[in-house]
Amino acid sequence: MPGMFTHEFATELYKGTATVNTGLFINGQFVDPVDRESIDVCSPQDGSVITKVSIGNAKDIDIAVKAALAAFKSSWGLKTPGYERGKLLYKLAELLEKNAGTLAAIEALDVGKPFVHASQDVQEAIDTLRYYAGWADKNHGQTIETTEAKFAYTRHEPIGVVAGIIPWNFPLTISIWKAAPALATGNAIVLKPSEVTPLSALKLAELVKEAGFPDGVFNVVTGYGATAGQAITEHPLVGKVSFTGSTIVGRKVMETAAKTNLKRVTLELGGKSPILIFDDADVEQTVKRVCGSTFYNSGQGCAAGTRILVQEGIYDKFLQVFADAAESLKQGDSFKATTQQGPLVSKTQLDRVLGYIESGKQEGARIVTGGSRAEGAGYFMRPTIFADVKPDMKIVREEIFGPVGVVIKFKTEEEAIEAANDTDYGLSSYVFTENLSRAIRVSNAIEAGNCFINQAILLCAQVPFGGYKQSGYGKEMGEYALEAYTQAKAVHVNLSLKL
Ligand code: NDP
């Protein structure tokens, strides 16, 4: 089977026998940053230094953007037909498949997540590449007849240079969510991974080169958000920024875009997603799915279900089974096949989550289980469940981004919907019930861009993903994302000057 993962291989990588080029990837080459600065990349498992990567700043971003623009004009964009772009994306998918073990190991090492979960991320990236490879020659415009003698047609043209600003929770997958539709539609791209988890984007750059994309079409500049990220959003030659991260930085990205060249912006800003569980749901099965939503990736997921609304008839039983399941999750070495949960990505994130735990306690919430970091050198946090919470508590309102869920009792469907929508966010939602009419009715009433019925989160390349309200706007994936990377031009044709 192509792309088989082996734990032995992962361990080899861990020992340092496999390598990742850690320069900036600009114009088809790995290069040193102008100011030759670097930063340590650390393992969340024990805080040890894995490697150093280059730190690019505004000067490097300028070089990368200009290289991308030159490539867009000379050898990409409208110069390379869609079917050729598609072929390159298919080739890249094949290379990801061939290097799936390496990529998963890099991601597990860098983010701290279990190798088996990192392998799923890689598969999702491969699926997304193939999906958009198929679209590359199918993103047609329309022909619109206006009068007998005149008609217009639309062209879906690329924007030019687009940028992707990537967070640290799913670095490879989110890089592909942005790069695949951008490249399929003929844009050149500059990626800025999080300084905390830059390695998989650099490996991806090696594979882009091997796939044969023209130089400059795909670039990676590692660096700090406040410098490299800010420089991207300010750059006058960048036509669009697709950003995934915190609401506070998302706001800044939009503000900067508005103040500079009015570049287009897509924002995916996380959430505080509700899970609504009705009396008729099977408690054991539901708890499995809830764990897969609340605690997956150690709770560092933008669509994690973190406000768990449970109908009164099953509330006590649910709480007990949920607590047992949380306590039984196996934490540990990312490369052990039995590990179900890794550490948080960094000391900063661990401290942030512990701050929320403290705030929950001070505001009077009850800790059902967890509530502290786990023993050991890594940034492990015990899965935590709060009960007896009030709607205005910080732990109920703010995105914690750790393995923390709050459980809330409700009586009626109306009450549950009202509580579910009592948030500034609107990224995802989950409904558990055997009653199909209720499931659809409730999902229609929820103010969120995604609703999962009787399942944990399951993202598919074919299905759009994005938020309502302050979870951002614009879609990733599916046909919808093509629109985010193209601009429609209307061409009016008069069949005869005499008419
Ligand atoms: P940030 O929003 O700071 O980071 C996301 C990305 O934006 C990173 O690549 C970051 O770079 C970059 N960035 C930071 N500042 C700027 C800027 N001024 N201009 C452009 N880009 C910038 O998230 P954090 O890493 O600080 O995490 C904080 C919180 O954000 C988490 O606790 C969580 O609540 C939320 N979050 C949500 C995510 C989601 O999927 N929606 C993902 C990650 C975080 P760098 O990391 O190098 O500074």
Side-chain angles (χ1 to χ4, degrees):
M1 189 179 128
M4 273 270 285
F5 312 129
T6 67
H7 285 81
E8 290 72 25
F9 179 84
T11 311
E12 284 308 298
L13 184 112
Y14 193 59
K15 286 185 201 149
T17 55
T19 55
V20 175
N21 200 316
T22 55
L24 308 178
F25 186 73
I26 299 178
N27 206 18
Q29 309 296 329
F30 282 97
V31 295
D32 286 332
V34 174
D35 288 345
R36 297 187 168 260
E37 285 171 346
S38 63
I39 181 179
D40 290 343
V41 180
C42 298
S43 161
Q45 285 280 343
D46 57 10
S48 64
V49 176
I50 304 168
T51 186
K52 282 181 188 301
V53 295
S54 304
I55 283 295
N57 57 27
K59 293 173 219 164
D60 302 288
I61 291 291
D62 187 52
I63 296 169
V65 170
K66 286 180 175 154
L69 188 61
F72 171 75
K73 288 187 171 168
S74 66
S75 52
W76 195 243
L78 304 174
K79 296 264 167 59
T80 304
Y83 69 89
E84 290 290 352
R85 297 197 300 267
K87 275 202 306 207
L88 287 166
L89 286 165
Y90 279 125
K91 176 76 186 161
L92 182 58
E94 198 183 305
L95 288 173
L96 256 75
E97 207 158 47
K98 207 165 125 197
N99 291 274
T102 311
L103 286 161
I106 289 169
E107 204 76 324
L109 190 61
D110 206 4
V111 186
K113 60 176 72 186
F115 180 75
V116 64
H117 293 176
S119 303
Q120 290 162 2
D121 293 356
V122 176
Q123 189 57 53
E124 199 180 318
I126 294 167
D127 294 345
T128 306
L129 277 169
R130 292 216 165 103
Y131 174 78
Y132 284 108
W135 265 115
D137 59 357
K138 298 178 192 66
N139 188 23
H140 311 300
Q142 300 173 354
T143 306
I144 304 151
E145 289 182 18
T146 48
T147 68
E148 195 60 10
K150 293 180 183 174
F151 72 95
Y153 61 90
T154 55
R155 288 162 54 83
H156 294 174
E157 296 186 344
I159 292 166
V161 179
V162 302
I165 299 182
I166 314 296
W168 41 256
N169 51 346
F170 293 91
L172 179 69
T173 324
I174 297 179
S175 294
I176 294 290
W177 284 1
K178 301 188 191 303
L183 295 172
T185 47
N187 299 280
I189 189 162
V190 178
L191 283 186
K192 206 297 282 173
S194 165
E195 98 231 3
V196 183
T197 57
L199 300 181
S200 56
L202 293 168
K203 187 70 196 173
L204 177 63
E206 286 177 26
L207 301 179
V208 167
K209 173 103 183 150
E210 195 181 334
F213 282 83
D215 290 348
V217 158
F218 176 93
N219 307 274
V220 179
V221 178
T222 48
Y224 296 107
T227 47
Q230 182 68 22
I232 282 179
T233 55
E234 284 172 1
H235 205 291
L237 299 178
V238 172
K240 183 217 165 66
V241 175
S242 177
F243 170 84
T244 303
S246 60
T247 307
I248 189 162
V249 176
R251 233 181 260 285
K252 215 172 187 175
V253 167
M254 197 168 161
E255 193 185 330
T256 309
K259 281 187 181 154
T260 52
N261 61 338
L262 275 176
K263 51 180 71 66
R264 290 157 180 72
V265 176
T266 300
L267 301 175
E268 202 276 86
L269 309 176
K272 191 75 186 172
S273 300
I275 304 182
L276 292 80
I277 305 165
F278 290 88
D279 277 347
D280 60 348
D282 178 302
V283 172
E284 271 80 14
Q285 292 303 322
T286 302
V287 162
K288 280 188 200 158
R289 272 58 174 204
V290 172
C291 283
S293 172
T294 309
F295 300 137
Y296 189 73
N297 208 33
S298 300
Q300 302 166 120
C302 45
T306 48
R307 290 182 300 130
I308 304 144
L309 307 158
V310 187
Q311 202 161 17
E312 57 185 358
I314 54 166
Y315 177 85
D316 292 335
K317 180 172 179 198
F318 176 87
L319 209 52
Q320 185 57 55
V321 179
F322 189 30
D324 292 346
E327 283 159 19
S328 72
L329 279 174
K330 287 196 177 54
Q331 296 187 324
D333 184 342
S334 305
F335 295 103
K336 257 194 176 164
T338 49
T339 298
Q340 294 170 299
Q341 197 175 63
L344 295 176
V345 76
S346 63
K347 171 86 169 47
T348 310
Q349 192 60 18
L350 177 66
D351 290 343
R352 193 179 283 147
V353 175
L354 289 170
Y356 276 106
I357 302 288
E358 212 33 56
S359 136
K361 283 193 217 164
Q362 277 174 17
E363 290 190 301
R366 173 167 67 91
I367 292 181
V368 179
T369 187
S372 59
R373 71 180 290 182
E375 280 175 20
Y379 310 131
F380 287 92
M381 171 83 208
R382 292 169 62 212
T384 299
I385 300 171
F386 278 104
D388 303 339
V389 296
K390 301 252 160 46
D392 57 348
M393 287 179 178
K394 243 173 104 167
I395 55 167
V396 179
R397 304 216 73 80
E398 295 183 15
E399 182 178 48
I400 299 177
F401 236 60
V404 184
V406 301
V407 182
I408 301 159
K409 195 193 288 186
F410 72 86
K411 278 195 175 79
T412 64
E413 185 179 310
E414 294 66 34
E415 195 188 312
I417 291 168
E418 201 182 318
N421 289 336
D422 182 19
T423 171
D424 292 335
Y425 288 109
L427 184 56
S428 197
S429 59
Y430 305 80
V431 180
F432 290 87
T433 175
E434 292 291 314
N435 180 333
L436 185 61
S437 324
R438 173 157 61 197
I440 302 288
R441 194 168 60 234
V442 171
S443 72
N444 287 349
I446 287 178
E447 298 159 358
N450 306 273
C451 184
F452 296 87
I453 296 174
N454 293 328
Q455 57 182 316
I457 186 160
L458 177 77
L459 297 184
C460 307
Q462 303 85 343
V463 185
F465 176 73
Y468 281 13
K469 292 156 82 173
Q470 292 186 37
S471 287
Y473 54 77
K475 298 289 181 192
E476 312 250 31
M477 294 189 290
E479 189 178 345
Y480 289 80
L482 295 170
E483 208 184 307
Y485 292 98
T486 47
Q487 41 198 354
K489 176 183 282 172
V491 182
H492 295 257
V493 182
N494 184 359
L495 292 179
S496 166
L497 278 175
K498 292 183 190 143
L499 293 168

